[in-house]
Amino acid sequence: MAHFSLIVACMVPIWLKVAAPHFVDASFASLYEGTLFPFLGVLTVGISDSSAAMVGSTWGKRKWPGQSKTFFGSIAGFVSLCVSLVVLSKHEERPWGPLLVASLITSLSEVFVTGNDNFTLPVVFVYSMVVLQQR
């Protein structure tokens, strides 16, 4: 199941890109342009979630209240997601504010999602970007 959910997580942004014209106003098309969008599943699950798990289980001591995840793991997931976004979007004219806020929302949602978060993290990031671009 873990391998299947990882593949699905990597495909979620691409499926959302296909479905977006039916659900999202055309003024948000800039979100789906460029090199960043197809990699959001890999970034949120493959890099951010994985680094949060590795760092949190290795060095994390203090846990979130009522959770098994650590503060240090969450910080590592957020930082790795931000660094990955900077590397991938360095040649694009994209505002950094929404990317950082969406990264923070995604990292915090990873803490409180119960069950398999591989499906929800890419959706949370994309939805956060859509909402933040409306402002």
Side-chain angles (χ1 to χ4, degrees):
M1 178 66 174
H3 299 299
F4 177 74
S5 64
L6 182 58
I7 291 169
V8 170
C10 291
M11 293 300 298
V12 164
I14 296 168
W15 292 334
L16 290 174
K17 183 176 183 177
V18 172
H22 305 290
F23 301 109
V24 180
D25 187 358
S27 64
F28 303 116
S30 65
L31 173 64
Y32 307 106
E33 295 173 356
T35 59
L36 181 65
F37 193 80
F39 295 105
L40 290 179
V42 174
L43 296 178
T44 55
V45 176
I47 294 178
S48 176
D49 194 31
S50 298
S51 63
M54 289 187 301
V55 170
S57 63
T58 305
W59 294 292
K61 302 286 187 234
R62 186 172 298 156
K63 296 183 188 274
W64 287 90
Q67 301 292 326
S68 63
K69 301 182 180 170
T70 65
F71 287 110
F72 202 56
S74 298
I75 292 168
F78 172 70
V79 169
S80 66
L81 183 56
C82 290
V83 168
S84 302
L85 289 170
V86 167
V87 168
L88 274 178
S89 62
K90 68 179 181 178
H91 298 295
E92 296 182 18
E93 298 288 330
R94 191 177 294 273
W96 292 103
L99 286 174
L100 295 176
V101 173
S103 299
L104 181 62
I105 292 169
T106 303
S107 297
L108 289 176
S109 69
E110 192 268 336
V111 172
F112 299 105
V113 169
T114 57
N116 192 347
D117 59 1
N118 290 349
F119 299 115
T120 57
L121 293 181
V123 174
V124 167
F125 190 91
V126 171
Y127 183 74
S128 300
M129 286 297 295
V130 169
V131 169
L132 291 168
Q133 282 194 343
Q134 288 180 348
R135 300 189 182 267

